[in-house]
Structures are given as structure tokens and as C-alpha cells.
Amino acid sequence: VAEFRGVERVYRMGNQEVRALDHIDLVFRKGEYWSIIGPSGSGKSTMLNVLGCLDRPSKGLYELGGEDTGLLDDDALSELRSRRLGFIFQSYNLIPQLNVLDNIMVPLLYQSNPPKDGEERARHLAGRVGLQDRLDHRPRELSGGQMQRVAIARALVNDPDMILADEATGNLDSQTSREILNLFDELHKEGKTIVFVTHEAIVSERAERVLVMGDGRVCEIRETAKE
Amino acid sequence: VAEFRGVERVYRMGNQEVRALDHIDLVFRKGEYWSIIGPSGSGKSTMLNVLGCLDRPSKGLYELGGEDTGLLDDDALSELRSRRLGFIFQSYNLIPQLNVLDNIMVPLLYQSNPPKDGEERARHLAGRVGLQDRLDHRPRELSGGQMQRVAIARALVNDPDMILADEATGNLDSQTSREILNLFDELHKEGKTIVFVTHEAIVSERAERVLVMGDGRVCEIRETAKE
Ligand SMILES: Nc1ncnc2c1ncn2[C@@H]1O[C@H](COP(=O)(O)OP(=O)(O)OP(=O)(O)O)[C@@H](O)[C@H]1O
Ligand SMILES: Nc1ncnc2c1ncn2[C@@H]1O[C@H](COP(=O)(O)OP(=O)(O)OP(=O)(O)O)[C@@H](O)[C@H]1O
Ligand SMILES: [Mg+2]
Ligand SMILES: [Mg+2]
């Protein structure tokens, strides 16, 4: 369970203030399937970053699994993240010096007890996202959509409980997008909590709940027709 | 006029070969309005890079404005590019140390005779893409879609004859996308040649001609219903 209470995220630029998140009260429960949609600059990535403990609120409370994240130091937050969360970044954040397979396996390095079948999992996931013939390529030897798919596979290699995806299909053709969304559907059926940001209304309807953002606030929450 | 004759772009990876472009015969004429669509990894960015003189064919001939680009050295190619082309990259390529306004003005630095009203043009374009309140932000202080819009404004500041856009609306909500495509429509009416890559079929229909790629080849060329 992830709970936002009165959360604000404010950036000070000189004498100006940017309210990236403005009075957010929200609960995400275990096993739910959310999409987040809204105009460019409305706070979707900021919302996802706070949800994923990559950023802290300037005001208000963010509780994850009953713990007040404001009371955890950066190391504890980082530990919480690597165990429980898989994050797909809007700008991928791949390591330029590593090939596809090693990039996918990076989260395994953070674990104190990495699973023995880590490489096998990575190869399997690379296959699931269609990159089996690109395992030895570096990021700069990949197309935009291929880089996006490395980021997706990497987020899943630790078998996280919660998957946070920021525009995970933004650079994918409709066929490949559909395959990625089918993969999210499967993971959801396995009991995982999924929250993905998208700018495409069609894609947002694949979730069970849609959160519409505007100017750093929650404008609307609705349930989709999906059973 | 940009003409591809028997163009190939092959990457050698160890003993394997990746055919990013495979036997391309194609003509883009002045003032035309094209979209390029196709699966992830099918060669769209490679096609655009060769078209924009950012990459050279491994085989075959690419002629731009009657000149065989194979006979031009890198400096001459770079000169040709900065005068005539505006390029919007799939990964934006903004300069981290510069703010939005300066990033938009970068192409003016490459000109031997920069127009006096360069800064005014940059401010106007920032307004056209909705970034008038972000002029002083650095790229890392922007949302994904805001960074994309800086890349769009920058490609237009030199008033180029030909605009090449690689997924220019990939991170934009539908409203902002529509505004960018309206801007492309206007530029086309002014006589500019526009070629944009998109993974969204709806967006591809905004052009007059659609080029469908697959596995490095031209699968189909069709005209849209748009008059
Ligand atoms: N430097 C490189 N070395 C080896 N292979 C490369 C290199 N750059 C690109 N490729 C390969 O060339 C193919 C075409 O790449 P390209 O970037 O043109 O695809 P694309 O159609 O733009 O894909 P996307 O929709 O995912 O952006 C891909 O399969 C990619 O892996
Ligand atoms: N470090 C920062 N300093 C100042 N302002 C920032 C910073 N980071 C983000 N912002 C601003 O906060 C707002 C929300 O950003 P956010 O990245 O959450 O938007 P978004 O909804 O994800 O947009 P997009 O759809 O374009 O990705 C934007 O207006 C942005 O300019
Ligand atoms: Mg974002
Ligand atoms: Mg591409």
C-alpha cells in the first residue's frame, strides 16, 4: 500500500516557484493496475518518482508499506527500492559501457543475495521483449525502441512486487506496444502492482484505474471498462 | 530533392551483420510532406539520419540538391546540414549546461552570418511550443515532453528548408501533439519539406505521403486522404 497525504513537490527557481505536485491525497493498494495520464508538464513523472522513492515530497506524508518514508535515510530508501520496486524511466538511463544483457542484469548487483538464475532470467526477459538478437549491442548501437525495451526488461529482472513505468511504450510501434502491455497484464495477474504513465488514451485504458493529472493535481480518478 | 539509389547501411558486429537499411531506392521532392512508420528497429532513424547527412550509406548513392554526398567531406556535409536542415532527434540531444533559450539558439552559433533577430526568433518559437515559462530551466529541470519541445524549437530557429523529425511527439499528450502537428502543417504550407518518423498511425495520417518500413526496406508508399 502506498499512501500520499497532503503531498507537495515544489521547486524554487530564483524568486519563482514551480508546483510539480500540489496537495496530493491518494492511495495505491497492493495488486492494483493504474495508468496515469495528463498534459506534458502536469507532474506525472514527479508523481511516479515520489511513489518509487526516487524523490521526496517537499511537504506532506508519503507512506509505503506502512512506513513513513520521511523517516528513512537515503540508504534505507535505496534498499527499500531495490527489493520491492522495478522502475522504467522516461529517459531509460541505460549504462553506455554495458551491453544489453549486462544492462538488464544491473539490478541483480544491488542485491545482497542475488538469485543464482539471474542471467537466465535476464536472457528470458530479453526474449520476452524481442531483444534476443541484440544481447551484445551497446545502447548506442540500438534503436530508440530497443533501448526502451532494455529498460523494461531491466525493471523486471528482480521480480519486483511493484512496477512503475514512465511512458514505457512512448517509442514503440503498435505491435510491440501491444506485446509490452500484454506482459504487464500477465504480471498484474501474478499479483503485482502496476502503475504506468502514458500520453496515449488508448494505452491508459489497458489499466483498471486511470488517474488524470493537471497542473500538479489529481483532476480525476476513474475505473475503466476492463474487468 | 533528396534521392536514394541502392542505398545500404550495414553494421558489422563481430561475424554478424545488421542491415539497418537494405536496398533503398527513393526520392523526396521539395515541399513534400512525409511520415515514416514501421516496427521498432526497422530502420526509420537510420533512414532519417542518412537523409539529414548525419550518417553515410555503406553502399549506394545519396544525392541531396543534385550533389553526390559521397563526394563531400565531413566539414562540407556539416555545412550543408546547418544551412538547409532542421533535425529533431529521437533522444533530443540537448546541451545539459545551457538553459532552454540558449539550447534553442545553438544552431545560430554555427552560421557564419547569424541573423540579428536570432534571440527574438528563439523566444517566439519557445512560445509556439508552450515553453515561455521555462526559458531559464536547464534540461534536467524539465519534463520529458518539455525537453522534446525544446528540441523542436531548436530545429526551427534557422528557418531551414527541410525539417526532419524523429518521433517528435513521442512524449507529448494529445493536445500538445496536435499543436506541434499544426505547426508542421503551417511550415509545410510555407513551402518547407517535412519528413517525420512516428510510431502512431493517427499521427502518420497528418502527412501527405506515408512511407512504411520493415527490416531496413521500404515496404509500402501510400498517399493519405489529406488534400
Ligand atoms: N551502431 C549500431 N551498430 C549495430 N546495429 C545498429 C547500430 N545502430 C542501429 N543498429 C541497428 O539497426 C537497426 C535499425 O535501427 P533504427 O534506429 O534505424 O531503427 P528504428 O526504426 O528507428 O527503431 P525505433 O522505432 O525503435 O526507434 C536496429 O535493429 C538497430 O539495432
Ligand atoms: N528540477 C526541476 N526544477 C524545476 N522545475 C522542474 C524540475 N523538474 C521538473 N520540473 C517542472 O515540474 C513540472 C512537472 O514535471 P514532470 O516531469 O512531472 O511532468 P510530466 O507530467 O511527466 O510531463 P511529460 O509528460 O512532459 O513527461 C514541469 O512543469 C517541469 O518543468
Ligand atoms: Mg514525464
Ligand atoms: Mg528510431
Side-chain angles (χ1 to χ4, degrees), chain B residues 58-98:
Chain B
S58 336
K59 257 193 188 164
L61 172 69
Y62 173 53
E63 251 185 36
L64 182 62
E67 288 198 74
D68 178 352
T69 60
L71 302 178
L72 302 176
D73 65 19
D74 287 355
D75 286 342
L77 219 51
S78 175
E79 169 70 11
L80 182 60
R81 228 169 38 227
S82 66
R83 268 190 293 122
R84 313 270 311 274
L85 293 161
F87 209 108
I88 299 161
F89 296 92
Q90 193 166 8
S91 53
Y92 320 147
N93 295 348
L94 303 184
I95 299 181
Q97 297 81 5
L98 301 182

Side-chain angles (χ1 to χ4, degrees), chain B residues 10 12 15 18 53 63 84 132 144 151 156 160 170 177 180 189:
Chain B
V10 178
R12 287 244 140 58
N15 54 3
V18 177
C53 301
E63 251 185 36
R84 313 270 311 274
Q132 61 282 354
L156 304 177
S177 271
I180 296 305
K189 288 204 180 69

